[in-house]
Structure formats: C-alpha cells, structure tokens
Amino acid sequence: MLPIDAAAHASAWRRRHPADKAVLSLGLLGCAVALPPWPGAVLVAVTVLVIALGFARVPARRLWRAARAPLGFAVTGALTLLVSIRADGVGWAPDGPRHAGELVARSGAAGLAMLLFAFTTPLSDVLPRLTRVGVPAAVVDVAAVMYRMLFLLYDTTARINQAQAGRLGHRTRRARWRSVAGLGSAVFVHAFARARRLEEGLAGRGYDGRLRVLVDEVPVSRGFVARSVFLVAAVVVATLLLGSVMP
C-alpha cells in the first residue's frame, strides 16, 4: 500500500462520507485558484495545514513528502518567470519575482488542498460512488482495476529489486543498468500476465460490464458540510478584507 493511501485509511476522518471532505477540499482549492495569491494563497495554506495536522491527524512527515515533489515542480517552473528574452538579449524580468512568488504560492496552496482530500479519503471509498454522480461504470471499473494493479506491480517491483540486490546486481554501474533493464522487462511480463488472468477470472464469474463491490453506507453530515462552507466563506472574506487594507 502506498504511504498516502495508508495514511488515508488511518485518518481520523476515514469514516466520513467522501462528499463531506470533497466540499471542504474543493472549496479551499477554488479559493487558492480564484482569490488573489496574496494573502489568499497564504490563508488557504495555513487553513489546510491546521485542518490536516490538527483535526484530520495527518502525519506531518508524510504530508511533507507528498507535497515536496509538486512544490519542487512549481518552483522549477517559476524560475522561468525570473528572466525575459528580448531583442537585445536575455535579462531579468521586471515583475519576474512577483509573478514567480504568486505562482509558487497559488500552486502550493492548491496542492495542499488536494492533498487534504487524498490523505483523508481512500480511493476505494471514492471509486464505487462515482457512478452515482454520473461517471460511466466502464470508466470507474478501469480506474478500479488500475488501482489494484498499481499495488501488485509495486509489490512485484520491490521483490524483484530486492532479489537483484541480493545477487549483487547493484554492485557496479554496468550491473545496475543491466538490473534496471531486467526489472523493466520482468515487470512488463508480470503486468501482462496478471491482466490476462484477471480478464479470464472476470469472464469466468459472468462479468457483464460492471464490477459490483460493497460500499459502506455512510450518511452525508449536514453539519460538517455547513461548517466547511462557512470556513470557505470565511477565507474569502478574510482575503478580501486583508487585500483592501494591505498595500
């Protein structure tokens, strides 16, 4: 199981309906995208961190490990805003630092809002309910199968890599490249074979185009949704008020 999925299963909000958490996370995501990055993105980021670490009990280290990759991608992209290419050559962009800071702040806040949903809602809780909101069953089935295959391939990759290390397959650079090539081909063969066996198994069970799974009937909490809407509205009002008094 991936660390982010393991954290979602252990979250204090694990038993809440996914719609409850979707209202909160998507509302904060909308604030990060639509509101001015300063101070809107900062307020959204602080709000998400307080909720995730304080109420949802998301492990701080796992949250940081999940956030640093997209944050690094945003920082790398923002570096291109610092320079401008003109007819007389390359120079510093006049408003480059401001635009780069806004991009990093907005991207970081939006990413944290999405991670709040990912760290509190296992994908296995979301996929079976997507058909109720109009998503085609075939799309949901493909996503569910890919979700399961992801863990199987991850486990297969780890076991093959461990076996290669035990046979000194990582001792030299040449041996490491040979091991990587062997790992890739072995995983591809395993994936193809597992997919074929899965197809045969579904056909043997009378697959009619839809996978049926049991879903826990958890009611939507009106109180939680109301508090989420109030919190999102408070972030919007605070951003507008602070934006009007700040230079």
Side-chain angles (χ1 to χ4, degrees):
M1 184 176 292
L2 298 177
I4 190 170
D5 211 55
H9 280 279
S11 171
W13 289 356
R14 167 68 174 81
R15 307 303 303 174
R16 286 196 174 278
H17 196 284
D20 296 348
K21 295 166 279 189
V23 170
L24 177 61
S25 300
L26 295 181
L28 292 174
L29 174 63
C31 291
V33 174
L35 293 176
W38 175 257
V42 178
L43 289 177
V44 170
V46 172
T47 303
V48 170
L49 290 176
V50 170
I51 294 174
L53 303 179
F55 295 93
R57 300 176 187 174
V58 176
R61 180 173 296 181
R62 289 188 179 182
L63 180 61
W64 163 244
R65 287 180 177 177
R68 62 185 180 184
L71 185 60
F73 181 79
V75 171
T76 304
L79 293 178
T80 60
L81 299 177
L82 298 178
V83 296
S84 63
I85 301 177
R86 300 183 294 268
D88 56 346
V90 180
W92 294 106
D95 295 331
R98 180 173 63 85
H99 292 310
E102 291 177 353
L103 175 62
V104 173
R106 197 187 293 276
S107 301
L112 285 175
M114 291 308 299
L115 286 176
L116 174 63
F117 183 78
F119 268 98
T120 55
T121 310
L123 196 59
S124 57
D125 287 355
V126 179
L127 288 176
R129 293 181 169 90
L130 290 180
T131 55
R132 302 177 182 176
V133 295
V135 179
V139 176
V140 175
D141 291 347
V142 171
V145 171
M146 292 181 63
Y147 176 67
R148 174 173 172 75
M149 290 291 291
L150 182 66
F151 294 109
L152 295 175
L153 294 180
Y154 180 79
D155 181 65
T156 301
T157 302
R159 286 190 286 109
I160 294 177
N161 187 58
Q162 186 178 7
Q164 289 176 335
R167 295 170 182 167
L168 303 180
H170 299 167
R171 187 169 58 90
T172 63
R173 177 177 298 181
R174 184 176 181 179
R176 188 178 301 113
W177 280 111
R178 187 168 55 247
S179 298
V180 170
L183 176 64
S185 59
V187 170
F188 175 77
V189 172
H190 275 274
F192 194 82
R194 284 182 180 276
R196 187 174 59 182
R197 290 200 299 269
L198 180 62
E199 182 183 7
E200 293 173 352
L202 290 175
R205 290 176 173 85
Y207 178 65
D208 59 352
R210 182 176 181 180
L211 294 174
R212 292 174 174 79
V213 297
L214 294 176
V215 181
D216 293 337
E217 294 298 333
V218 181
V220 176
S221 174
R222 295 182 179 179
F224 188 90
V225 173
R227 291 193 294 271
S228 299
V229 173
F230 176 79
L231 180 62
V232 172
V235 171
V236 174
V237 173
T239 300
L240 297 179
L241 290 177
L242 290 175
S244 63
V245 299
M246 294 178 64

